[in-house]
Amino acid sequence: MPLEAQKIVKGLDWSPSSWQSKPIAQQPVYPDSEALERALRQLARLPPLVTSWEIQNLKHQLAEATRGQRFLLQGGDCSEDFEDCESNAIAGKLKILLQMSLVLVQGARKRVIRLGRFAGQYAKPRSSDTETRGKVSLPSYRGDMINRAGFSVSERTPDPELLLRAYERSALTVNFIRALIEGGFADLHHPEYWELGLVKNSPHAAEYMRLVERIGESLRFMETLTGSVLADINRVDFFTSHEGLHLHYEQAQTRQVPRHPGWYNLSTHFPWIGDRTRSLAGAHVEYFRGITNPIGVKIGPSVTPEEALALAEALNPQNEPGRLTFILRFGVEHVERCLRPLAELLRRRERVILWCCDPMHGNTETTANGTKTRRFDKILAELQQSYHILMDCGLHLGGVHFELTSENVTECLGGASGVTEADLARAYRTQLDPRLNYEQAMEMALLLARLLAGQA
Ligand code: PEP
Ligand code: CO
C-alpha cells in the first residue's frame, strides 16, 4: 500500500488541528482573528456537553442498528435558533421524537434510537457566500453560531462571541433534556400523559391512541409476569447530533479522556459531514477521520459509488460497526439511479454501513411565488424506494432522518390534513429549510411503520 494511503488507513499524522492544512469549504470569514482566537480559547476550557461513555453507548446501539437489531430515528429543525432555546420548544422536540419512535417500534418490531438534530445545530452551509437585496450584498446568514439572520452589516458580520453563545445554549438544551428525562417525561408507564395536542384532530389519532394503549398493556403484562417493575425501560435515551461544519468550534471541544483511548468530540454524540463538505481531500473528512465518535456523512446525487467507497475506507478503515452512517439524500427523482449501484458496490466490498434515508434534502422545491417547500408524497416515496432498493441489494434501511417540528407550521405541502400552496403563507416560520409539522411528522411515522412492517 502506498505510504499516503497507509497513513490515512492507520490514522497517522492526525491531530485535532490537522484539518487546518487542507482545503476547506463553507467557513465564515471573521474580520477580527484575535477575537476569534480569544473565543476559541474560552471554548476549549469549558466543560464538555456529553461524555465519552454516552458516545460509546450510542456507537454500540448504532452497531446494533447496522445488524438490523435497532432502528435509527434522527430529526429536528434544519437549524436551531437562539430564540427557540426555551422550555416549550425543547419539550416539543422531545415529544415528537418520542411519539414517532413509539409508532416505529410497533412497525419495525425493534428498539428505536432517538437522535435529535439539536443542542448544537447552529451552523449552516449556504449555496452562496453572499446574499444580494437590491443594490446591497452582505455575507449570507450561516446560522446563529456565526451571524444573525437580519439584513444589515452588523447582523451579517461573523461574530466569534456567537460561538460561545451557541455553546451555552447547547448546554442549556442538553441540561433541560436530561432533567426532563430524569423527571419521568419519557416514562413508558405513562404514555397517556404525553399530551397529544394536535394529533387529537388528526385523521390518525385513533391509530396512535391504540398504539399507546398497547404499549401500556404490554408493560403491565411483562411486569405481572416477572413480578417486578421494568426499571430498564422506564426511561428512554435521547442523543444529540449536529452538522460538524464549523471546524474551529468542533476542534475546541475535541479531547482525550481518562480510560477511553482516542479523541472525542464532546460537543455532541454524533456529528455529521454535510453533502457540501464531504470532499475526500478536504478539511472536514480530515477532521472526522480522527475522532472516535460515531459519525454520519450526507450522500447526495453527485456522489459516485467509487467516491462513497473511498469515503467509507477513509472514515472507517477498520470497518467498525456503528462508526459510520450514510445519510442518503438523493431526492425521489434520483434515488433509483444513484442508490442502487452505490449500495451494490459497498455491499460487494463488504463495507459496514448504517443506511439511513434523509428524504427531505433532495426533495426541496420552490413554488411559483418563490417559497421553498417539500411535498409529503415525494418524501414518503423516497423512503419507500430506498427501503426496497436496499432490500434488493441484500442490505436494509436502518434509519431515517427528518426535518420536523412539533409546531403547527405550514412549510411542507400535503399530508392527510392537506396543506396547500395557499396555506404556506399562514405559518411559514423556518429561517432555512421547510419542516414537517406535528401532524405530518406523526403521519409519516405511521406510514413508515407500515413500510417497516412489510405492509407498503
Ligand atoms: C441539512 O441537513 O440541513 C443539510 C444542509 O443537508 P445536506 O448537507 O444534505 O444538504
Ligand atoms: Co436542512
Side-chain angles (χ1 to χ4, degrees):
M1 197 187 289
L3 189 60
E4 268 316 292
Q6 271 182 38
K7 277 187 195 163
I8 289 185
V9 170
K10 294 203 177 128
L12 294 179
D13 286 353
W14 184 92
S15 80
S17 62
S18 56
W19 60 269
Q20 293 187 18
S21 63
K22 304 276 176 173
I24 189 158
Q26 296 285 343
Q27 303 299 293
V29 179
Y30 290 95
D32 181 349
S33 54
E34 269 172 37
L36 174 64
E37 285 305 319
R38 271 197 308 279
L40 293 174
R41 272 199 300 276
Q42 276 194 56
L43 203 51
R45 291 188 56 242
L46 292 171
L49 302 182
V50 302
T51 63
S52 55
W53 54 92
E54 290 169 348
I55 291 173
Q56 286 300 352
N57 180 17
L58 174 62
K59 201 190 246 181
H60 180 76
Q61 294 192 20
L62 291 167
E64 290 182 341
T66 308
R67 291 193 286 270
Q69 296 156 350
R70 288 188 190 247
F71 190 78
L72 170 67
L73 171 64
Q74 184 176 22
D77 295 300
C78 181
S79 71
E80 293 173 282
D81 57 52
F82 287 177
E83 288 288 298
D84 272 352
C85 185
E86 51 100 15
S87 55
N88 282 337
I90 297 169
K93 289 177 204 199
L94 286 198
K95 197 171 69 178
I96 182 82
L97 284 181
L98 189 58
Q99 293 184 353
M100 288 174 80
S101 71
L102 293 181
V103 171
L104 293 178
V105 164
Q106 304 277 322
R109 305 254 154 223
K110 20 184 112 137
R111 282 184 286 175
V112 172
I113 306 165
R114 296 161 206 84
L115 183 58
R117 281 177 70 112
F118 52 45
Q121 177 57 8
Y122 287 115
K124 299 301 302 174
R126 301 312 306 270
S127 40
S128 167
D129 283 342
T130 54
E131 181 183 341
T132 303
R133 294 190 195 171
K135 294 203 170 74
V136 184
S137 283
L138 293 174
S140 293
Y141 169 61
R142 289 186 172 274
D144 279 8
M145 177 189 279
I146 291 160
N147 56 6
R148 296 186 169 84
F151 196 73
S152 68
V153 174
S154 66
E155 286 164 304
R156 288 295 174 88
T157 303
D159 175 0
E161 282 291 310
L162 296 177
L163 296 171
L164 292 161
R165 299 294 87 77
Y167 189 73
E168 291 149 7
R169 276 174 165 74
S170 302
L172 294 171
T173 305
V174 167
N175 179 57
F176 189 51
I177 290 171
R178 292 191 196 283
L180 283 174
I181 294 169
E182 200 50 40
F185 176 85
D187 186 339
L188 294 180
H189 289 84
H190 297 287
E192 68 276 17
Y193 297 157
W194 311 327
E195 183 202 328
L196 285 179
L198 294 164
V199 156
K200 273 197 196 118
N201 307 320
S202 148
H204 297 283
E207 195 173 342
Y208 177 72
M209 288 310 292
R210 266 199 312 278
L211 285 175
V212 166
E213 276 162 27
R214 240 188 287 155
I215 291 167
E217 277 164 20
S218 316
L219 275 177
R220 282 187 289 279
F221 173 75
M222 287 302 289
E223 289 177 350
T224 311
L225 202 67
T226 60
S228 60
V229 175
L230 297 174
D232 261 10
I233 51 172
N234 263 357
R235 302 275 154 76
V236 297
D237 292 330
F238 281 88
F239 295 98
T240 63
S241 68
H242 66 247
E243 177 171 348
L245 181 67
H246 191 297
L247 289 185
H248 281 296
Y249 178 88
E250 305 301 330
Q251 180 191 329
Q253 276 294 323
T254 303
R255 315 232 167 123
Q256 288 176 303
V257 297
R259 286 182 294 283
H260 278 156
W263 291 86
Y264 285 84
N265 180 332
L266 296 175
S267 73
T268 188
H269 299 113
F270 179 100
W272 78 81
I273 309 179
D275 191 44
R276 292 183 176 86
T277 48
R278 50 155 181 72
S279 150
L280 256 177
H284 289 80
V285 168
E286 172 61 20
Y287 169 76
F288 272 75
R289 81 180 171 87
I291 56 171
T292 309
N293 304 54
I295 60 170
V297 188
K298 292 288 201 93
I299 302 284
S302 63
V303 183
T304 63
E306 293 69 28
E307 259 177 317
L309 178 63
L311 279 167
E313 286 169 348
L315 293 167
N316 190 12
Q318 314 295 342
N319 223 7
E320 179 193 5
R323 157 72 175 165
L324 184 60
T325 300
F326 274 178
I327 306 170
L328 312 166
R329 34 86 83 229
F330 294 116
V332 71
E333 269 100 48
H334 306 291
V335 63
E336 170 64 41
R337 175 176 59 82
C338 297
L339 178 54
R340 197 177 289 278
L342 190 154
E344 275 169 359
L345 178 64
L346 279 271
R347 154 97 210 204
R348 228 176 17 253
R349 304 295 284 269
E350 297 182 356
R351 299 310 307 186
V352 177
I353 308 278
L354 178 61
W355 299 91
C356 171
C357 175
D358 163 4
M360 310 299 290
H361 286 88
N363 292 313
T364 313
E365 55 186 273
T366 306
T367 63
N369 64 12
T371 310
K372 239 191 191 187
T373 191
R374 292 163 171 159
R375 291 176 193 276
F376 188 94
D377 290 348
K378 289 191 173 183
I379 296 169
L380 179 63
E382 182 167 353
L383 281 176
Q384 290 169 333
Q385 288 196 36
S386 304
Y387 175 87
H388 290 293
I389 294 168
L390 288 167
M391 200 146 67
D392 290 350
C393 299
L395 300 166
H396 68 274
L397 180 69
V400 285
H401 181 120
F402 293 114
E403 287 187 342
L404 49 79
T405 170
S406 64
E407 290 169 51
N408 188 19
V409 298
T410 51
E411 297 169 5
C412 290
L413 298 169
S417 57
V419 177
T420 63
E421 277 195 39
D423 294 319
L424 289 183
R426 182 157 45 82
Y428 194 94
R429 302 207 193 108
T430 182
Q431 300 272 21
L432 293 156
D433 288 340
R435 302 160 296 178
L436 295 173
N437 66 24
Y438 194 33
E439 249 184 75
Q440 289 169 329
M442 286 305 291
E443 183 179 356
M444 192 60 76
L446 286 160
L447 296 170
L448 177 61
R450 282 187 205 157
L451 178 69
L452 297 174
Q455 294 162 6

